[in-house]
Amino acid sequence: MGTGKEPEIQVTNRSNSNDMHRRIRVIDSHTEGEPTRILVEGLPELRATTILGMVDELRRDHDGLRSGLVCEPRGHDAIVGGYLVNSPDETVDTGVIFFNNASYLGMCGHGTIGLVTTLAHLGRITPGDVRFDTPAGLVRARLHDDGRVTVWNVPSYRFADSVVVDVPEFGRVIGDIGYGGNWFFLVSDHGQDLHLSNLETLNRYTTSIRRALSEQGITGAGGAEIDHVELFGPPQRSDADSKNFVLCPGLAYDRSPCGTGLSAKLACLAADGKLKPGQTWRQESIIGSQFEGSYEEGPQGILPAITGRAWITGDNILLFDDSDPFREGIGA
Ligand code: PYC
């Protein structure tokens, strides 16, 4: 935690579900192009006492809030939202539960960078270290003096390598299954052009891979659904090692290089002996932004460190009117 501040981030949730016009304060930011929306006031009081219990409660009792916050007409498919919650873990500064247009996320790397920048914007932290409880585990972050943020993510690992999936229309695709706080299928040999001008095909290709993985029963550990697909290719930037395209669970593509996806990539590079502990890997995104990643060895996989930058784009009050037929988002 930065100097001169209280050691705990105040979570100002209050239940106002009977209000005709519910008012919710959010801070919007983007991390290397990928948007984050942190709810800082207006989350209903949660009864659950563990962070996984809170995810269940949010899914069961407040899912319309999730979809209303990030889906149209208030949001769009690429936004990742974050709820600040009181964690039972006294060693952390706050709990955070990330979500998107489809569901809840175990962790979110770009979202954590956006969250740290949001807390600094609110004056709740200054440069220094901060600790978060997430559904995937404990995450540490550091706000640097120059505004960059480093996130030490949950232990990450390669679960399986050279897995073959038969993808209708595209044929056999070979990839690795990796975990970085979310589950990824990582493909390097795909013959696709990793440019924004090829977005339609990239979306169709990765969506088909994802569907085929599910239909063919190919999963992560314990039957976990693989809901992110990542393609890698040569970088365009002279200061990058690789460029990627990442399909997210709600079928939006990640504008940033994806923090949890980079964690899974680092785990694969480590497993292949292609990146040593402490060595830097610079991952370019499909829009040309960049994260830096490195890792240390850990007892349950690698311990990834991801560095990037976020910028605040809005400090907004969102209104939810009971008479609005789309108050919980279009299609929700
Ligand atoms: O940065 O980890 C990430 C992420 C996951 C989904 C979108 N961004």
Side-chain angles (χ1 to χ4, degrees):
M1 199 60 187
T3 51
K5 293 281 170 188
E6 290 178 5
E8 195 175 290
I9 292 157
Q10 215 60 42
V11 178
T12 51
N13 300 328
R14 70 178 85 94
S15 176
N16 54 2
S17 55
N18 292 328
D19 288 359
M20 175 69 173
H21 300 273
R22 182 191 280 237
R23 295 169 64 84
I24 287 183
R25 183 176 176 206
V26 296
I27 308 294
D28 287 339
S29 61
H30 78 83
T31 304
E32 308 292 355
E34 178 76 348
T36 306
R37 172 166 284 176
I38 302 294
L39 183 149
V40 292
E41 278 170 35
L43 180 67
E45 214 67 63
L46 300 177
R47 285 182 304 277
T49 52
T50 64
I51 196 147
L52 291 175
M54 289 178 203
V55 174
D56 288 343
E57 187 177 342
L58 286 163
R59 200 191 300 279
R60 190 186 59 232
D61 299 340
H62 305 290
D63 206 45
L65 180 60
R66 173 195 61 76
S67 52
L69 282 167
V70 293
C71 296
E72 293 182 33
R74 289 180 202 78
H76 56 82
D77 284 355
I79 295 187
V80 168
Y83 294 129
L84 299 183
V85 295
N86 289 314
S87 166
D89 183 342
E90 291 182 355
T91 68
V92 303
D93 295 293
T94 184
V96 57
I97 296 172
F98 290 110
F99 53 92
N100 62 16
N101 56 339
S103 189
Y104 300 84
L105 290 162
M107 224 310 270
C108 182
H110 94 266
T112 305
I113 294 172
L115 169 58
V116 170
T117 305
T118 293
L119 294 172
H121 166 78
L122 292 169
R124 296 188 192 174
I125 62 166
T126 51
D129 288 359
V130 57
R131 289 159 70 88
F132 301 115
D133 188 13
T134 76
L138 182 74
V139 170
R140 213 157 44 83
R142 178 169 301 155
L143 174 63
H144 300 278
D145 287 331
D146 63 2
R148 288 175 316 130
V149 176
T150 298
V151 176
W152 286 272
N153 193 12
V154 295
S156 303
Y157 58 95
R158 178 161 73 182
F159 177 65
D161 72 306
S162 306
V163 176
V164 179
V165 55
D166 290 310
V167 184
E169 189 196 342
F170 293 100
R172 260 164 59 103
V173 176
I174 300 176
D176 290 356
I177 299 173
Y179 179 76
N182 295 303
W183 283 98
F184 291 82
F185 193 68
L186 302 95
V187 184
S188 294
D189 185 10
H190 44 71
Q192 298 294 326
D193 188 12
L194 296 190
H195 286 97
L196 271 183
S197 56
N198 194 32
L199 198 52
E200 207 177 308
T201 307
L202 292 171
N203 278 327
R204 200 154 48 85
Y205 179 68
T206 49
T207 303
S208 302
I209 292 176
R210 194 179 138 192
R211 195 171 304 126
L213 288 167
S214 163
E215 284 169 2
Q216 288 159 43
I218 299 170
T219 68
E225 183 189 8
I226 301 169
D227 53 8
H228 293 72
V229 177
E230 232 180 328
L231 309 180
F232 293 92
Q236 245 165 339
R237 289 170 59 140
S238 57
D239 60 350
D241 295 298
S242 155
K243 183 173 183 179
N244 71 6
F245 173 86
V246 185
L247 180 79
C248 296
L251 306 186
Y253 72 94
D254 197 330
R255 278 68 170 161
S256 83
C258 191
T260 51
L262 177 52
S263 301
K265 174 68 174 175
L266 293 172
C268 293
L269 288 166
D272 285 331
K274 291 184 175 161
L275 192 75
K276 294 190 176 54
Q279 212 178 328
T280 300
W281 180 266
R282 289 154 311 171
Q283 186 65 58
E284 179 181 349
S285 75
I286 189 68
I287 67 163
S289 58
Q290 188 163 291
F291 282 164
E292 281 186 8
S294 63
Y295 74 91
E296 288 167 28
E297 309 274 13
Q300 296 159 312
I302 64 152
L303 301 172
I306 309 296
T307 300
R309 176 128 201 220
W311 289 266
I312 301 295
T313 56
D315 185 337
N316 301 316
I317 303 291
L318 302 181
L319 301 178
F320 291 73
D321 186 327
D322 278 350
S323 70
D324 176 358
F326 299 112
R327 72 195 298 276
E328 297 190 347
I330 296 171

